[in-house]
C-alpha cells in the first residue's frame, strides 16, 4: 500500500535542504536517512533521503543528488510516498496510521452523522481530521481524546463529543440572523400600559380562554 507521508515545501538555505509538511505519525521511521520514497509527480522520483534535521519546529530534509537551492526549489509541492504493509499496525494500541482513519464515518455520541474523514493534517501542536460533511463543506476536528472519544475500526467510524461551536457554529450564526430578520419584520407589540377606551367595543375572547 502506498501512502503519502510528506509534502515538500520551500527550499531552505543554499545547500539543497527543503522544508517538509509531515503527513505521518512516524516521521522518524518513514522519513529517516536512507528511506527511498516514490513521488507525485512520479517523474521527480524516486528520492532517497540523505539527511534530516529539525529546525525551528520544522523538519528539513536533503535528498541524494540535490546539492543547491535551485535543485531544492524544483522539488517544491512534490508529494513523498512510502510503501507500507496494509497489515502493519502501530505498537501502541491507542495510535493509528493515517490509512486506518481515512474514510471513517464521523458521528457524535448520540449518533448524529457529521461526515467522512478525507484527510489527516499533522500540525506541530496536534493532528486534525479534515471531515467532509454531507453538504460538501468541510470541518476540522482536533484528534484529541477529549473530542474524539472512540475509534471503532470494525464499524468504520469515529465517535466525537464536540465542544459548542466546533460543528454547529455556522448553524448558530444562521439561526441568530433569522431571529434578527424575524424580529425586524414583526410589528411592534402593543403597549400593555397604554390607557384603554372603556367605550371601545371588545373583540371575541381568544380561543381556549373563558
Amino acid at each position: 500500500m502506498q501512502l503519502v507521508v510528506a509534502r515538500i515545501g520551500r527550499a531552505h538555505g543554499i545547500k539543497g535542504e527543503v522544508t517538509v509538511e509531515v503527513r505521518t505519525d512516524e516521521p522518524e521511521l518513514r522519513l529517516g536517512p536512507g528511506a527511498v520514497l516514490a513521488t507525485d509527480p512520479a517523474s521527480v522520483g524516486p528520492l532517497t533521503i540523505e539527511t534530516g534535521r529539525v529546525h525551528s519546529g520544522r523538519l528539513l530534509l536533503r535528498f541524494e543528488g540535490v546539492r543547491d537551492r535551485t535543485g531544492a526549489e524544483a522539488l517544491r509541492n512534490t508529494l513523498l510516498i512510502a510503501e507500507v504493509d496494509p497489515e502493519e499496525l502501530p505498537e501502541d494500541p491507542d495510535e493509528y496510521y493515517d490509512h486506518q482513519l481515512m474514510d471513517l464515518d464521523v458521528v457524535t455520541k448520540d449518533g448524529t452523522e457529521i461526515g467522512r474523514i478525507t484527510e489527516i493534517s499533522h500540525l506541530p501542536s496536534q493532528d486534525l481530521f479534515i471531515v467532509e460533511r454531507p453538504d460538501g463543506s468541510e470541518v476540522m476536528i482536533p484528534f484529541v481524546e477529549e473530542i474524539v472519544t472512540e475509534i471503532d475500526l470494525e464499524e468504520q467510524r469515529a465517535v466525537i463529543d464536540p465542544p459548542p461551536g466546533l460543528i454547529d457554529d455556522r448553524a448558530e450564526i444562521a439561526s441568530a440572523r433569522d431571529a434578527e430578520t424575524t424580529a425586524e419584520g414583526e410589528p411592534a407589540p402593543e403597549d400593555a400600559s397604554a390607557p384603554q377606551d372603556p367605550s371601545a367595543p371588545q373583540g371575541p375572547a381568544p380561543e381556549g380562554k373563558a
Side-chain angles (χ1 to χ4, degrees):
M1 173 185 291
Q2 290 191 323
L3 297 176
V4 174
V5 292
R7 182 180 68 85
I8 298 176
R10 63 181 182 275
H12 178 84
I14 61 174
K15 296 183 178 181
E17 284 187 312
V18 295
T19 63
V20 294
E21 175 190 325
V22 177
R23 297 188 179 180
T24 172
D25 287 334
E26 298 176 314
E28 67 284 350
L29 174 64
R30 309 296 180 196
L31 300 171
V36 180
L37 302 167
T39 60
D40 182 6
S43 59
V44 176
L47 294 173
T48 301
I49 298 175
E50 185 173 276
T51 63
R53 65 188 179 96
V54 176
H55 175 73
S56 298
R58 297 295 299 272
L59 179 62
L60 304 179
L61 297 180
R62 181 185 288 113
F63 300 100
E64 291 183 3
V66 180
R67 292 286 178 252
D68 56 29
R69 187 177 183 87
T70 300
E73 194 63 37
L75 298 175
R76 191 166 187 171
N77 292 324
T78 297
L79 297 178
L80 299 176
I81 302 169
E83 190 70 36
V84 178
D85 184 345
E87 301 300 321
E88 181 181 342
L89 299 175
E91 293 182 1
D92 188 334
D94 292 327
E95 293 183 354
Y96 302 90
Y97 289 140
D98 286 5
H99 70 271
Q100 295 177 283
L101 302 171
M102 291 292 290
D103 291 326
L104 292 187
D105 293 324
V106 178
V107 299
T108 61
K109 295 174 68 175
D110 63 6
T112 301
E113 179 185 358
I114 301 301
R116 178 178 61 88
I117 298 174
T118 57
E119 184 181 343
I120 293 91
S121 179
H122 300 279
L123 303 180
S125 58
Q126 64 186 9
D127 295 337
L128 291 174
F129 289 163
I130 310 301
V131 177
E132 181 178 326
R133 308 196 69 175
D135 64 2
S137 63
E138 290 185 340
V139 60
M140 293 183 291
I141 299 176
F143 187 18
V144 294
E145 61 181 353
E146 294 83 0
I147 297 176
V148 182
T149 59
E150 181 185 358
I151 297 292
D152 190 334
L153 296 180
E154 290 188 2
E155 295 294 330
Q156 286 290 286
R157 68 177 186 175
V159 181
I160 65 171
D161 183 16
L166 180 64
I167 301 299
D168 55 358
D169 55 344
R170 284 171 296 179
E172 290 176 355
I173 292 173
S175 297
R177 288 176 177 169
D178 290 344
E180 290 176 1
T181 302
T182 302
E184 291 174 356
E186 291 178 349
E190 295 184 1
D191 187 352
S193 63
Q196 300 292 324
D197 181 355
S199 64
Q202 302 297 312
E207 293 182 5
K209 293 185 179 180

